[in-house]
Amino acid sequence: MTSPQGELLPGTRRALLHRIAVAQQEGRAPSLVAAVVRDGRTVWSGARTSVEGEAPDGEEQYRIGSITKTFTAVLVLRLRDEGLLDLAGPLERHLPGTGVGDVTVVDLLAHRAGLAAETPSPWWERNPGSLRPDLADVLGERPLIHPVGRRFHYSNPGYALLGALVEKLRGAPWADVLRREVLEPLGLRRTTAEPVAPHAGGWAVHPWADVMQPEPLENLGVMAPAGQLWSTTGDLARFAAFLAAGDERVLSAESVREMRTPAAPAEAADVADGYAYGLGMELRHQHGRALVGHTGSLPGFLACLTMSLADDVGAVVLANCTSGPAPFSGAASGRPAHRPPARSPRSSRPSSRPEPRRLQARGQGRPRAHRPPPVRHDGHRTHRRENHLMTTTTAVAPLTTADAEALVTAAVEAAAEKAGVTVSVTVLGAGGHPLAFHRDDRAVLISGGTSTRKAYTALQLNALTADLVDAVQPGGFFHTLPTALDRPLLFIAGGVPVRRDGRLIGAVGVGGGAPELDHGFATAAVASLA
């Protein structure tokens, strides 16, 4: 489905449709929608879906995750422009009693306050916000892990503090202030804190098998200013136009220009990647272009808004899967986004879910990786499920969230007691979906990614990763298998499959120590489950 606008050449429209078709197919997304903005208005929009006749359009809501932070930053800049706060002033001046009052407002906006990346467990994105009713519950006992103002460290709790600051100075809930001061003036009627029909449902799609299951749609509570919003390509296209030029009813051109200016100290890796962070906005330099915008993700959804101001063009891409399409591959840059960092909570307890749904491919025509159930969850359509069968091939009890938490605890305790090291631990269910994740902020920075890759490798190949090292050498069985569907495998010790009655029910990955130590921690955890 596309919207034919005469301003773009037919070849350009075909190329854009081809790009999103490839992104949807290779990323195994149930659906993907996109829009292109030029001269402040939408000049092209398109959508791809796995179900014939169910293509979403520019009015279909998707969750936009951390793009919410840009909206929150706009509210804070409005307070500054009205003289109600000083960006360089301490948070304590306006929001006392947080325990981190010495950090400044600009420190929070630019992710340089030294706060932890995530809240204490359980994983805030996969649990109701009612579990953390107060800021103290969000910040935890050790909120500051780096010196204030010295380095860029992406922090979701930091934007919860900014939302609380907005509420304190406006005397109204964050969502109400946002609607009144930003959404209504800009005409963003389809951008809301809660989903409003028609909206997409969020899905976790197995990276290699045609298996998927629904993701929880939680109200994030006090964490809402960091990632709560739902929106559409149409609304985000209008928001992109605002971020490029400003609007005196909301924020001046000078203030939005300030948001697009680097404000966080750049790490060496960020410099190499061409990445910087402003005030609620990400900045990248790719393929000779300076790009600004933000990416977002929450369980079941990916989102990207990016603009090239020099070319006066922007793009919006939304998908309803936890992982898959690199957001920028469907947008203007053609390369995957590197930020925000992969989520790194200390642990997670996903809500209970139904058994995985196995997908049955059918028909010819549009390119697609599989055909999940329809994306609509609006109560107004009949879901076609005749080709989407529930798996009933085994009576073996699946790996539960309680099992996953026990595995995490056992691995962490083994690392601390036997070697005195801090590690990251990833636990996957048989369908490839994450059941639990733990990363201590003191662990090696890349340990979260390595633990997840080890777990996926052990699950995909149903083998200890320690036993696969030789298999990738020349002449080895897996010599030509560095990836599976573009997912990088990791043939380093530390990944262990979890079996019950001889059947594969999941996998554990541990990263952060020496490989042979990680292997010992993972095997000890699996042994404890038996």
Side-chain angles (χ1 to χ4, degrees):
M1 171 182 175
T2 61
S3 56
Q5 285 88 7
E7 294 184 19
L8 297 182
L9 296 173
T12 303
R13 294 200 298 269
R14 287 194 298 270
L16 289 168
L17 181 59
H18 173 75
R19 176 165 289 192
I20 66 170
V22 170
Q24 184 263 334
Q25 180 190 30
E26 294 185 349
R28 301 167 60 77
S31 70
L32 185 147
V33 292
V36 174
V37 186
R38 180 185 288 168
D39 297 328
R41 61 193 183 92
T42 302
V43 295
W44 178 86
S45 63
R48 300 296 286 185
T49 181
S50 298
V51 180
E52 294 287 355
E54 296 285 345
D57 56 26
E59 292 295 291
E60 186 99 4
Q61 279 190 333
Y62 289 69
R63 208 162 195 183
I64 62 173
S66 287
I67 297 177
T68 302
K69 292 180 174 68
T70 308
F71 286 88
T72 298
V74 170
L75 293 178
V76 175
L77 267 291
R78 282 177 55 85
L79 292 169
R80 190 279 309 272
D81 289 354
E82 294 175 21
L84 297 178
L85 60 78
D86 179 359
L87 294 186
L91 178 67
E92 185 76 16
R93 181 180 300 166
H94 306 287
L95 195 65
T98 63
V100 294
D102 289 339
V103 306
T104 68
V105 177
V106 73
D107 287 332
L108 295 170
L109 285 168
H111 295 293
R112 67 187 199 201
L115 294 174
E118 308 293 350
T119 70
S121 62
W123 197 341
W124 65 275
E125 295 177 340
R126 294 179 176 274
N127 291 274
S130 58
L131 293 179
R132 298 181 185 83
D134 302 313
L135 286 176
D137 303 314
V138 166
L139 295 172
E141 297 179 356
R142 185 174 171 259
L144 291 172
I145 61 173
H146 299 296
V148 177
R150 295 290 298 278
R151 62 175 294 184
F152 171 77
H153 186 77
Y154 196 91
S155 173
N156 287 297
Y159 269 73
L161 286 172
L162 290 172
L165 175 64
V166 170
E167 293 186 341
K168 180 68 179 297
L169 294 181
R170 292 301 193 198
W174 167 84
D176 292 347
V177 178
L178 179 66
R179 184 183 66 252
R180 182 177 67 246
E181 297 189 5
V182 178
L183 303 182
E184 290 179 354
L186 295 180
L188 308 184
R189 62 179 184 83
R190 292 288 293 149
T191 301
T192 56
E194 297 292 340
V196 177
H199 66 84
W203 295 92
V205 182
H206 190 286
W208 301 294
D210 284 338
V211 177
M212 62 187 286
Q213 58 182 28
E215 290 278 29
L217 303 180
E218 302 290 359
N219 184 304
L220 304 179
V222 295
M223 288 295 292
Q228 177 74 24
L229 291 179
W230 294 72
S231 192
T232 66
T233 54
D235 270 14
L236 290 180
R238 286 183 282 274
F239 189 55
F242 159 74
L243 293 174
D247 186 316
E248 291 298 332
R249 297 172 299 171
V250 177
L251 208 59
S252 68
E254 180 180 357
S255 290
V256 295
R257 188 180 306 114
E258 185 178 0
M259 293 177 64
R260 304 191 307 259
T261 302
E267 300 289 317
D270 296 328
V271 173
D273 288 342
Y275 180 89
Y277 203 90
L279 304 182
M281 295 189 72
E282 297 177 297
L283 300 90
R284 290 181 173 83
H285 192 273
Q286 294 178 330
H287 302 296
R289 283 190 173 92
L291 304 175
V292 296
H294 215 291
T295 53
S297 67
L298 274 178
F301 295 94
L302 294 171
C304 177
L305 183 160
T306 185
M307 302 175 290
S308 171
L309 299 178
D311 299 314
D312 196 14
V313 64
V316 177
V317 184
L318 306 173
N320 62 329
C321 52
T322 300
S323 62
F328 273 8
S329 69
S333 74
R335 294 190 63 180
H338 298 289
R339 299 280 183 168
R343 299 290 186 254
S344 53
R346 291 180 174 83
S347 64
S348 65
R349 288 183 180 272
S351 300
S352 59
R353 308 176 188 173
E355 288 291 310
R357 179 168 292 131
R358 186 169 299 277
L359 309 175
Q360 180 182 29
R362 56 182 170 83
Q364 303 293 326
R366 298 179 180 178
R368 55 179 54 84
H370 53 70
R371 294 180 178 272
V375 297
R376 300 261 180 160
H377 275 219
D378 55 18
H380 299 294
R381 293 199 178 197
T382 300
H383 295 351
R384 298 185 295 169
R385 301 183 182 275
E386 67 275 14
N387 288 307
H388 310 296
L389 308 178
M390 298 295 290
T391 50
T392 57
T393 60
T394 177
V396 174
L399 195 67
T400 66
T401 54
D403 292 334
E405 289 292 342
L407 287 166
V408 167
T409 300
V412 171
E413 289 180 350
E417 294 173 1
K418 297 180 181 179
V421 299
T422 54
V423 295
S424 292
V425 184
T426 300
V427 180
L428 304 174
H433 51 279
L435 290 178
F437 180 81
H438 165 97
R439 183 175 74 81
D440 191 297
D441 282 313
R442 297 167 294 174
V444 177
L445 185 61
I446 64 171
S447 62
T450 57
S451 71
T452 300
R453 289 173 61 186
K454 290 177 183 180
Y456 271 118
T457 304
L459 182 68
Q460 164 70 0
L461 302 179
N462 193 10
L464 299 169
T465 55
D467 295 340
L468 297 171
V469 177
D470 292 337
V472 294
Q473 302 302 318
F477 189 74
F478 297 121
H479 177 53
T480 58
L481 188 68
T483 65
L485 292 178
D486 294 328
R487 294 301 183 91
L489 304 179
L490 190 62
F491 299 98
I492 299 176
V496 176
V498 182
R499 302 184 182 95
R500 182 170 285 154
D501 296 334
R503 300 293 296 272
L504 181 68
I505 61 171
V508 178
V510 177
E516 62 274 12
L517 292 177
D518 290 342
H519 173 75
F521 306 148
T523 53
V526 173
S528 72
L529 189 63

